[in-house]
Amino acid sequence: FLYLTARVIGARNVVEFGTSFGISTIYLAAALRDNGGSGVVIGSEIDQPKCAQATRNLAEAGLADHADVRGGDALESLRDVPEAVDMVLLDGAKDLYLPVLEMLLPKLRPGAVVLADNIHTFRRGLKPYVDFMQSGEAGFVSTTLSLGQGFEYSTYLG
């Protein structure tokens, strides 16, 4: 799903919050490669051993040139992502979905897709995020998809 979405929108710049071991990162980096080879997935992972393993996994997959996995607090490590972000994947600490999104919002291009995982699993904790995205007040159109543990699929209209 991540690969298909990134390909369909012609993504070049992707931000991932909650890289973990880099499995989603591999799919996103492969999409960027297949979209013409330019661009990068900028990931953030607070757990340093996971960050190191994600970097190794990307190298083993031959996709290291298409990813930049940053260790540490996402509110710091993702602060300087370049503008014109095409796609965001939120899959880290659920209480940080809104703060990370709010930090990235000025850098989203019109038409950018924001995906948030685990919507059904953390229904109560992610309710403020879902309400924000579905309100229409922030410039998004959004719906919850019943894929896996639930994905909030949002498109930024600008």
Side-chain angles (χ1 to χ4, degrees):
F1 182 72
L2 295 173
Y3 176 86
L4 280 172
T5 302
R7 287 300 312 275
V8 164
I9 67 169
R12 298 274 185 241
N13 296 305
V14 177
V15 176
E16 178 186 35
F17 165 58
T19 298
S20 190
F21 294 111
I23 304 306
S24 296
T25 322
I26 288 171
Y27 285 102
L28 292 166
L32 296 182
R33 176 199 61 206
D34 296 348
N35 279 347
S38 63
V40 66
V41 179
I42 299 173
S44 180
E45 177 54 52
I46 197 161
D47 184 300
Q48 289 300 330
K50 283 183 176 181
C51 186
Q53 186 61 54
T55 301
R56 288 191 296 273
N57 289 343
L58 284 153
E60 282 184 32
L63 294 165
D65 291 345
H66 302 286
D68 173 13
V69 180
R70 301 173 178 184
D73 181 340
L75 294 174
E76 294 300 321
S77 65
L78 297 177
R79 185 173 304 282
D80 67 343
V81 299
E83 291 190 26
V85 171
D86 301 304
M87 186 172 169
V88 176
L89 172 61
L90 301 171
D91 195 15
K94 308 314 172 209
D95 61 328
L96 291 179
Y97 278 23
L98 265 176
V100 168
L101 176 69
E102 288 169 344
M103 179 181 68
L104 296 173
L105 193 57
K107 299 179 181 197
L108 297 181
R109 71 157 173 86
V113 171
V114 178
L115 298 169
D117 199 10
N118 303 117
I119 299 301
H120 295 316
T121 307
F122 298 93
R123 191 175 311 269
R124 190 174 338 167
L126 288 173
K127 184 177 182 344
Y129 174 83
V130 172
D131 289 349
F132 177 79
M133 296 304 274
Q134 292 184 0
S135 72
E137 295 172 14
F140 289 93
V141 291
S142 190
T143 191
T144 304
L145 303 177
S146 292
L147 296 174
Q149 310 305 317
F151 258 110
E152 189 67 19
Y153 187 103
S154 310
T155 302
Y156 184 61
L157 300 178

